[in-house]
Amino acid sequence: MSIPTIRWGIAGPGGISKQFAKDLAYAEGAELVAVAGRSLDKAESFAKDFRAARAYGSFDRLAADPEVDIVYVGTLHPAHHDNVLTFLRAGKAVLCEKPFTMNASEAEEIIRYAKENRIFLMEAMWTRYLPPIRQVRQWLAEGVIGDVRMVKADFGFDLGWQPESRLLDPKLGGGALLDVGIYPVSFASMIYGARPRKIMSSARIGTTGVDEQFSILMEYEEGQIAALNGAVQLEMVNDAYIIGTKGHIHIPMFLAARSASLHVRGQDPIRFEDDRQASGYAFEAEEAMACLRAGRTESPVMPLGETLEIMSTLDRIRQQWNLRYPFE
């Protein structure tokens, strides 16, 4: 039996949106029908490349398109809040790229609007939906490594000295925490399912005023620990480990995981391999569409309450660094 087609719009014809659009072709029941950007020329070029029927030079026009069921927001971080509200107020379901917003206050406002108006809204934390991560969650649910006591997760790369880059521009929400730190912080949240009771952290603030690297140690209610590191000026290994009382799980390049291995004491290791053709963004699109078809207004895998808690945690971390964005 065929499933109902879900018609997609894309806001922001940038690099991450191109990755999403490319992967959308692998998502069953998805159709890209429209794209919008601040530049009509760029939107038209994007639409041609990915065979979208329509291109718009404004987000208001995309929001008014009656043939769009859900909008993927892939704009720059500081624009997420206003862009998401534009589409929610038009009654459109929204999948918003991470980080969801710049801070918890912005997140709370758009989540409240979506809930009050019963409109689907989800953070595009693509890692959660990858097959190896789904397998990891199953192993954890089965308790095969015992009680989880420690999570270690790193994500960092060396951008090089490019002071003009948005990654080093505080006005664009640059820095390591929102771009790369969101991955290990969200990963720890997925494992422990609770807000940390204690956070200790340190960051190197560079000459452009953004955090170039950080280390975070988080403690949870039952004494569990998450040790997290990130950087945009350092090449890192980018693996994650989940360590329990009976063994551990290792996830190479965890944010884009293609494998995971289970190590239980006294047993041979078990390795899960993912042979997907797509990069992996198709899975978050499929989750959003499954929710829409089921009449849900949020995803049980990435619930809005957890998204808000994660933004609150990022705010707490920045407070320790005395780091504020110019527009806050």
Side-chain angles (χ1 to χ4, degrees):
M1 182 180 296
S2 62
I3 58 176
T5 297
I6 301 293
R7 300 165 300 179
W8 286 82
I10 289 180
I16 190 66
S17 293
K18 290 177 181 178
Q19 289 286 344
F20 181 81
K22 188 182 299 183
D23 259 30
L24 198 60
Y26 294 93
E28 186 180 2
E31 179 186 3
L32 177 58
V33 299
V35 61
R38 292 176 298 177
S39 164
L40 180 58
D41 288 344
K42 289 183 179 179
E44 287 176 338
S45 176
F46 188 104
K48 181 179 179 181
D49 289 344
F50 296 101
R51 300 181 180 179
R54 293 178 295 284
Y56 299 116
S58 80
F59 295 142
D60 287 335
R61 291 198 64 193
L62 177 59
D65 189 327
E67 295 185 9
V68 170
D69 301 311
I70 182 170
V71 176
Y72 168 80
V73 173
T75 53
L76 295 175
H77 304 345
H80 286 182
H81 169 268
D82 290 351
N83 294 160
V84 170
L85 277 178
T86 292
F87 297 115
L88 290 178
R89 286 168 177 159
K92 303 297 187 189
V94 176
L95 174 64
C96 181
E97 188 53 61
K98 55 77 197 163
F100 193 64
T101 51
M102 294 302 299
N103 52 48
S105 176
E106 289 186 349
E108 185 175 22
E109 182 181 357
I110 61 178
I111 287 172
R112 184 189 311 117
Y113 187 93
K115 285 180 173 291
E116 288 176 350
N117 293 276
R118 298 195 54 78
I119 304 170
F120 177 81
L121 176 63
M122 183 177 112
E123 179 183 3
M125 179 49 68
W126 71 305
T127 300
R128 295 254 172 139
Y129 309 98
L130 299 176
I133 301 301
R134 293 204 301 263
Q135 179 61 65
V136 166
R137 292 206 308 270
Q138 183 176 330
W139 284 333
L140 293 175
E142 293 170 352
V144 291
I145 63 168
D147 295 332
V148 176
R149 298 285 177 81
M150 181 174 289
V151 169
K152 297 169 63 180
D154 299 340
F155 177 32
F157 56 85
D158 187 0
L159 172 71
W161 182 240
Q162 300 181 40
E164 73 285 353
S165 167
R166 72 162 186 86
L167 286 168
L168 297 180
D169 188 343
K171 296 189 299 297
L172 297 179
L177 187 63
L178 291 189
D179 257 275
V180 304
I182 185 70
Y183 285 105
V185 170
S186 184
F187 186 79
S189 178
M190 181 189 76
I191 303 303
Y192 291 130
R195 188 180 188 186
R197 69 181 180 186
K198 186 176 181 181
I199 300 174
M200 294 169 283
S201 68
S202 181
R204 172 187 171 88
I205 307 299
T207 57
T208 65
V210 305
D211 52 305
E212 295 181 351
Q213 67 191 60
F214 66 80
S215 291
I216 303 168
L217 193 64
M218 300 197 295
E219 180 183 313
Y220 292 78
E221 287 302 322
E222 297 181 6
Q224 309 102 318
I225 291 172
L228 316 173
N229 300 281
V232 292
Q233 296 281 269
L234 290 174
E235 194 73 35
M236 302 179 73
V237 176
N238 303 333
D239 286 5
Y241 291 86
I242 306 169
I243 304 167
T245 53
K246 297 180 181 179
H248 73 273
I249 297 168
H250 174 215
I251 312 166
M253 191 59 178
F254 78 98
L255 67 148
R258 287 184 175 268
S259 68
S261 56
L262 172 66
H263 304 261
V264 178
R265 285 197 301 271
Q267 301 179 20
D268 292 335
I270 297 173
R271 186 174 176 85
F272 179 92
E273 296 277 0
D274 179 17
D275 60 355
R276 66 181 185 264
Q277 293 180 303
S279 296
Y281 298 95
F283 300 113
E284 66 182 2
E286 289 176 343
E287 170 69 10
M289 292 189 295
C291 289
L292 289 181
R293 294 184 185 109
R296 299 192 187 103
T297 56
E298 61 183 293
S299 165
V301 179
M302 189 72 248
L304 294 173
E306 186 181 358
T307 287
L308 181 56
E309 287 288 358
I310 289 169
M311 293 310 307
S312 296
T313 295
L314 297 178
D315 284 357
R316 291 168 66 190
I317 293 166
R318 283 198 296 120
Q319 286 172 3
Q320 294 184 358
W321 306 341
N322 294 315
L323 178 62
R324 293 177 60 87
Y325 301 112
F327 43 80
E328 288 187 299

